Amino acid sequence: IPVEEGIKMYGAMCRVVQTTDKYTVGIALTRKDYIASFENTNGEGLKQWHFNAGNLFVYNNDLNQYGEAYYPTVDNYRLPGLTADTAHLADGYGNQRFPDTTCAGGANDGEIAAIAYSYSGTYLDQDTMANKSYFLMEDGIVQMGTDIHGTTEATIETTVENRMLKEDGSNQVLINDEVFDGQKKTLDLPAGSWIHLEGNCEGADMAYYFPQATQIEIQKEQRTGSYGDINGGKPNEPYTAWYLKIGINHGTGTVED
């Protein structure tokens, strides 16, 4: 089916979509008195606390990436593109509440776009704040964050990636040409570092570039969950999936980064 390439910005929904000949990316935002955090109706969406908080969804030839196993197994505190407090939240907490910031939007020329977003965790009774930028280019996505601050007994983290892998988690991961063994690690990457993730099928590889020296946390993680965990009344049949998780830990306690 032919797909129109270019940028679509849906101001009334705080959504941005870019389609290229290789991938499609979607960004979900929220803003004061305009787009609420999430909707938990009839027991559904129990763990969607962060689903409108700057999440970045990348669609390529891996048509099952966001398929049947994704939503019951993904770590909902660490979604790609998200900067937030990872403190534990009760199911449905923050339902239909608004943040106290109004910056969520951008500009485009039909092919590339610049998006600005001011994240606030006030709708979750958290004081985490972050200024985020997303630049959607013709052949890549640039993410930037600044003035990240807040207080937490957990951690404030930016999730670079949290991508579902093959059923056995065997996807090769290269970090500056070195094969990553999948074990949880904290790495100090020098400026100009890169990570390459083998896709689940042809045309689904992903790559990440760090222009500045960056400390990251990276691991392959096997997770199990059910639709009963996220939607009340749904079956408790377990799903299991492997993920590659890449994040930047900004710290605990009083954080200013």
Side-chain angles (χ1 to χ4, degrees):
I1 300 175
V3 177
E4 181 182 355
E5 297 180 16
I7 301 279
K8 296 290 185 182
M9 302 184 74
Y10 301 94
M13 297 185 291
C14 289
R15 296 292 188 273
V16 182
V17 178
Q18 179 194 37
T19 299
T20 74
D21 61 343
K22 296 182 176 64
Y23 60 85
T24 292
V25 58
I27 302 175
L29 309 173
T30 184
R31 59 179 281 195
K32 181 180 180 180
D33 299 331
Y34 208 66
I35 295 294
S37 53
F38 66 97
E39 186 173 294
N40 166 221
T41 304
N42 298 324
E44 299 178 347
L46 296 175
K47 301 183 186 299
Q48 291 186 346
W49 316 287
H50 300 296
F51 259 66
N52 288 339
N55 306 343
L56 191 148
F57 299 93
V58 178
Y59 300 81
N60 52 28
N61 283 358
D62 180 10
L63 301 182
N64 290 321
Q65 178 60 217
Y66 304 107
E68 190 172 5
Y70 179 83
Y71 290 99
T73 59
V74 70
D75 182 349
N76 286 289
Y77 295 100
R78 296 172 178 86
L79 299 168
L82 175 69
T83 298
D85 191 336
T86 62
H88 176 77
L89 295 165
D91 287 353
Y93 195 80
N95 176 40
Q96 298 187 38
R97 295 172 65 180
F98 295 89
D100 60 359
T101 52
T102 59
C103 179
N108 75 96
D109 68 356
E111 295 183 359
I112 62 175
I115 313 300
Y117 176 52
S118 182
Y119 170 80
S120 169
T122 52
Y123 70 97
L124 296 171
D125 296 318
Q126 299 172 344
D127 65 358
T128 302
M129 305 283 289
N131 292 323
K132 307 292 292 294
S133 298
Y134 308 80
F135 299 93
L136 306 182
M137 313 303 286
E138 293 178 344
D139 57 357
I141 305 156
V142 179
Q143 298 183 68
M144 301 175 64
T146 188
D147 195 20
I148 299 167
H149 63 274
T151 56
T152 178
E153 295 182 357
T155 54
I156 294 174
E157 300 181 21
T158 293
T159 302
V160 177
E161 184 60 282
N162 196 356
R163 199 153 184 88
M164 192 163 65
L165 304 177
K166 297 175 182 177
E167 289 186 2
D168 60 0
S170 63
N171 308 58
Q172 185 184 69
V173 179
L174 295 176
I175 304 176
N176 294 333
D177 260 339
E178 297 290 332
V179 177
F180 173 56
D181 63 10
Q183 300 301 307
K184 185 175 182 179
K185 288 181 173 67
T186 298
L187 301 176
D188 290 309
L189 300 181
S193 290
W194 55 268
I195 299 174
H196 179 269
L197 168 63
E198 176 193 9
N200 295 335
C201 62
E202 184 176 353
D205 287 16
M206 301 285 288
Y208 316 87
Y209 178 73
F210 300 86
Q212 297 180 328
T214 307
Q215 185 179 86
I216 66 165
E217 295 179 349
I218 184 170
Q219 66 173 313
K220 284 185 177 181
E221 181 182 43
Q222 188 180 48
R223 297 180 58 84
T224 298
S226 72
Y227 276 92
D229 295 333
I230 59 174
N231 292 332
K234 295 294 183 179
N236 289 316
E237 175 189 353
Y239 290 83
T240 297
W242 280 94
Y243 288 84
L244 176 69
K245 185 182 292 183
I246 307 171
I248 300 171
N249 187 336
H250 302 286
T252 188
T254 299
V255 175
E256 294 185 10
D257 200 2

